[in-house]
Amino acid sequence: ILAEPGRRRAPPLEMLARCAARPKGLVHAIDADPGLPIFGPPGVVNRGRWFEDNWHADAWSPLCTLDAARYRVPLLHAVMAEISKIPPDEPLLVMAPALPGIAGAEITTGLIDVTQPDAVILISNGDSRYRLDNELRAGGRPVYLWQTSRRDHRHRPAHRTRRWNDFLGDPRRLAEPRHAGRPAGSRDRAHRLAIRRDEVMLHGPPPPTDVPDAWTGRQVAAGSRDGWTALGEVLGLDDAAFDLRLVGAVGGVDRLLVRDAGRGPDKELRTLPPVARRRVITTKQSSRAAMEVRAGPVVARLVNGVSGDPLLLVRLRHRRQTMMFDVGECLGLSRRILHTVTDLFLTHGHLD
């Protein structure tokens, strides 16, 4: 089931679930939209069932991101893992994330290959720019168009955060981690767990551990070599340990999955920006220390340090664009870097 970005998914999905559940009274479902799933917590691929006129979440595979476009390969692996747990002779609805452009095309092709569906339903208005004709035609499955109205995106972050808070439960009722045998997906209240930094392996692209503030509020999955068994958030990080709030089985945890989902300054669950990490390097030709800051695709370098001759170099990686602010002493720069300068900005005149 594919949906054009911005289209309402819940009403047609409920109608489809009712129809598919008639023979046996239930239908399995996998919601592969980590940004705002129909059921279950955000930031994961949810597996559940429709019965007794409602969705019921059974299990999840963690992504710890709301960005299905960026992490579409882990998303496809998670869908494969959840499909393997469903009997092949029982009805299944797979809800794809609503993604435009290249990401949408790749997700569509990947999901068709993974799920081998009997049919594809496209939720759209019929005349939009959301076109995946080639991908759908290549899949060789019948495609049905379902027209729905647009949804209001203004309430999406608040709705997602409510779903996340409901999953975690009341923070004032944290339980001690003493029931390590509970299965993942347990509806029991969350546990508070402290785990030493030197006893855990970090998966995903986690933020640097020398920036503790970047960890607070991050979505995290915990588990062992046998799989991910708990989901929650980071309460804090110090020199010795991670302070975690987890729902699920917490016994034997020795690894954490952390990506870019977490609480912003407004406490809403969102995609967090890359953490700017400062590193100090020394130029070969000057005794003054250069300073460099990286933030996503942007690299800013104060070539001659804070007190040296003004020269700020800003590079946009993968775009072959380099901007130079002021033209101070350039001895610390190679010819290769100087030849990539495309824009020059002067804040004041130089006599030389």
Side-chain angles (χ1 to χ4, degrees):
I1 301 171
L2 306 171
E4 174 192 356
R7 294 290 157 183
R8 294 173 58 85
R9 298 189 308 155
L13 289 175
E14 290 183 5
M15 190 175 299
L16 287 169
R18 288 192 180 96
C19 294
R22 284 174 183 170
K24 295 187 177 181
L26 67 87
V27 59
H28 296 275
I30 293 177
D31 195 335
D33 185 357
L36 188 59
I38 298 296
F39 59 87
V44 304
V45 170
N46 284 288
R47 173 167 57 89
R49 291 169 293 168
W50 173 273
F51 66 93
E52 297 179 352
D53 268 352
N54 203 356
W55 293 110
H56 299 267
D58 291 333
W60 42 259
S61 288
L63 298 175
C64 294
T65 183
L66 310 175
D67 191 350
R70 182 180 180 186
Y71 294 101
R72 46 191 180 270
V73 173
L75 185 144
L76 289 174
H77 288 169
V79 171
M80 292 174 62
E82 294 302 328
I83 287 180
S84 66
K85 303 169 186 175
I86 299 175
D89 59 339
E90 296 187 1
L92 169 64
L93 300 177
V94 179
M95 310 168 198
L99 299 175
I102 296 176
E106 291 185 355
I107 283 287
T108 299
T109 303
L111 285 176
I112 290 177
D113 290 342
V114 167
T115 62
Q116 293 295 305
D118 298 295
V120 177
I121 296 177
L122 177 61
I123 301 175
S124 175
N125 65 354
D127 58 351
S128 69
R129 297 179 180 178
Y130 183 69
R131 288 288 181 263
L132 297 172
D133 295 339
N134 293 334
E135 289 75 17
L136 296 177
R137 193 181 305 115
R141 269 70 178 178
V143 179
Y144 303 96
L145 178 64
W146 194 313
Q147 298 188 23
T148 63
S149 60
R150 284 194 169 273
R151 62 187 176 191
D152 190 350
H153 280 276
R154 294 175 298 176
H155 305 296
R156 183 180 175 94
H159 187 188
R160 178 196 302 129
T161 304
R162 282 197 304 270
R163 185 74 63 80
W164 181 233
N165 291 338
D166 291 343
F167 175 79
L168 293 176
D170 190 345
R172 295 170 297 182
R173 300 181 57 207
L174 292 179
E176 295 298 327
R178 54 175 178 264
H179 296 290
R182 285 196 182 105
S186 172
R187 295 180 181 274
D188 289 351
R189 54 183 174 169
H191 302 282
R192 188 164 184 172
L193 176 67
I195 182 169
R196 292 182 55 86
R197 289 172 54 170
D198 56 359
E199 295 178 354
V200 67
M201 293 183 292
L202 299 178
H203 293 252
T209 54
D210 57 354
V211 187
D213 291 343
W215 285 81
T216 303
R218 291 253 175 180
Q219 190 179 52
V220 59
S224 63
R225 62 183 300 175
D226 297 326
W228 304 108
T229 58
L231 183 69
E233 63 184 5
V234 180
L235 298 178
L237 170 64
D238 56 27
D239 294 337
F242 294 95
D243 187 9
L244 308 176
R245 177 186 177 191
L246 298 171
V247 175
V250 295
V253 169
D254 64 0
R255 62 199 65 197
L256 301 176
L257 173 65
V258 182
R259 290 194 172 111
D260 57 0
R263 296 186 189 270
D266 55 2
K267 304 301 181 183
E268 289 189 341
L269 188 66
R270 60 181 68 246
T271 297
L272 300 177
V275 179
R277 188 172 186 178
R278 176 181 295 178
R279 63 173 183 166
V280 179
I281 58 177
T282 303
T283 59
K284 296 179 181 179
Q285 291 82 2
S286 175
S287 61
R288 294 186 178 92
M291 299 183 67
E292 186 172 285
V293 174
R294 297 174 180 264
V298 180
V299 180
R301 183 180 180 187
L302 199 59
V303 177
N304 299 314
V306 177
S307 59
D309 202 12
L311 175 56
L312 175 64
L313 197 70
V314 178
R315 300 174 61 192
L316 303 180
R317 295 184 294 176
H318 312 304
R319 291 185 56 178
R320 295 185 179 181
Q321 185 175 4
T322 303
M323 296 173 285
M324 183 181 290
F325 294 81
D326 287 331
V327 192
E329 182 183 351
C330 300
L331 296 179
L333 297 175
S334 65
R335 291 182 180 180
R336 178 181 60 83
I337 294 178
L338 289 173
H339 287 165
T340 63
V341 174
T342 56
D343 303 271
L344 182 62
F345 300 85
L346 300 179
T347 61
H348 60 279
H350 288 258
L351 291 177
D352 56 355

